[in-house]
Amino acid sequence: MLQEQLREIKIQLRMAMNGVTSTSMREKGINYKLNFGVPLPEIKQIAAMHEPGSELAAALWKEDIREFKILASMLQPADDFPFDQAKQWVKEIPYLEIAEQCSRNLFCKLTYVDNLLLGLIFNVEDEYARTVAYLIWAELFKEGKTVVAPVRAAFIVECMRTIAWSDFGATWKEKQAAVKAMKFYGRQSADHAKQMLSGFDEFPEFMDTPEGQEIYNDLKFEFEYYS
């Protein structure tokens, strides 16, 4: 049954494949064993044709196929996804797109998301751990949700450390994800917006740089637009 489902999904992907997109990804250094180049809306349509289930999701995830990994994040039931398995998936994330899809489709829906966030944001060993934490926060804040006080405190402190502390050595993707999460957090209220912007006061040297000014002004504009 499982093998039949996998074969059916592969046939559906082949029918929707886009060689131009897969070639473009490969030229940008995104290398999978197999990449059909199927756009996300069509991947969602394929996911809707199949019953969510942990066995199917696990089988999809273990394959080095772009669309299989995205489908795994869509078909894995959030209420049947152990904490240790979530951590393992984070370790195995190969590219930013998969980090984004897992965060949006699955991780932000987990009942233990607060504990997951605290584990990820202090994880400097796994390449995508901190990026995933910010992406999860962005999804939660976008939906108007809140997090428990220790998780909120970690978010505020780590955002500024990621963006403004040059010695920390945050990656570009971490910084971009942090800024995205800060925007959605600041949109929630005037107090949240003030909280985000006041954090820059502790980093005057960073504010003297073009990058610091650009990020600060970007956030300020965002908050004023949505106020």
Side-chain angles (χ1 to χ4, degrees):
M1 181 62 177
L2 177 60
Q3 291 306 314
E4 290 178 8
Q5 286 179 296
L6 294 174
R7 278 196 296 271
E8 184 180 353
I9 289 173
K10 192 169 287 189
I11 290 170
Q12 291 167 335
L13 290 171
R14 287 194 183 280
M15 291 176 65
M17 72 184 298
N18 187 321
V20 175
T21 301
S22 60
T23 299
S24 175
M25 287 184 177
R26 191 162 54 250
E27 290 173 348
K28 294 174 183 175
I30 300 174
N31 296 305
Y32 291 94
K33 180 180 178 181
L34 193 56
N35 182 352
F36 294 96
V38 179
L40 285 174
E42 294 182 40
I43 296 177
K44 289 181 181 178
Q45 290 176 0
I46 292 172
M49 300 176 188
H50 299 272
E51 188 74 24
S54 296
E55 185 182 17
L56 176 58
L60 290 165
W61 180 259
K62 73 178 183 180
E63 298 293 335
D64 186 24
I65 301 174
R66 170 182 171 263
E67 290 78 6
F68 271 29
K69 290 195 180 297
I70 295 174
L71 283 166
S73 74
M74 295 176 176
L75 293 171
Q76 171 63 51
D79 59 358
D80 188 25
F81 195 61
F83 186 78
D84 286 344
Q85 192 172 0
K87 292 193 295 182
Q88 187 61 36
W89 276 33
V90 171
K91 287 178 181 290
E92 296 169 356
I93 288 173
Y95 299 108
L96 181 59
E97 182 187 29
I98 306 302
E100 292 170 339
Q101 291 301 309
C102 285
S103 300
R104 180 177 302 121
N105 302 328
L106 179 60
F107 295 157
C108 72
K109 301 175 183 177
L110 299 171
T111 57
Y112 50 81
V113 67
D114 287 322
N115 289 333
L116 180 63
L117 283 166
L118 285 178
L120 293 176
I121 198 60
F122 298 118
N123 180 347
V124 295
E125 296 178 2
D126 298 323
E127 181 181 358
Y128 282 94
R130 288 174 56 83
T131 300
V132 166
Y134 289 125
L135 291 171
I136 294 173
W137 268 314
E139 292 298 325
L140 293 174
F141 297 146
K142 181 169 64 175
E143 296 175 8
K145 295 181 179 179
T146 58
V147 291
V148 297
V151 178
R152 185 171 62 251
F155 167 71
I156 293 167
V157 170
E158 290 302 312
C159 276
M160 294 312 304
R161 188 161 76 132
T162 296
I163 292 170
W165 188 10
S166 59
D167 290 343
F168 182 65
T171 64
W172 174 85
K173 55 182 175 281
E174 277 179 41
K175 291 184 178 181
Q176 292 297 306
V179 170
K180 181 179 180 180
M182 292 170 77
K183 286 181 177 180
F184 284 117
Y185 180 77
R187 283 189 198 179
Q188 289 188 336
S189 71
D191 286 341
H192 284 188
K194 183 178 180 181
Q195 206 171 22
M196 289 293 92
L197 294 177
S198 64
F200 288 87
D201 295 341
E202 299 179 25
F203 297 91
E205 292 182 2
F206 179 68
M207 287 300 292
D208 287 336
T209 67
E211 181 187 12
Q213 283 295 313
E214 182 180 353
I215 292 175
Y216 180 87
N217 291 332
D218 184 27
L219 289 170
K220 190 170 183 291
F221 175 81
E222 181 89 8
F223 301 152
E224 289 174 349
Y225 182 83
Y226 284 95
S227 64

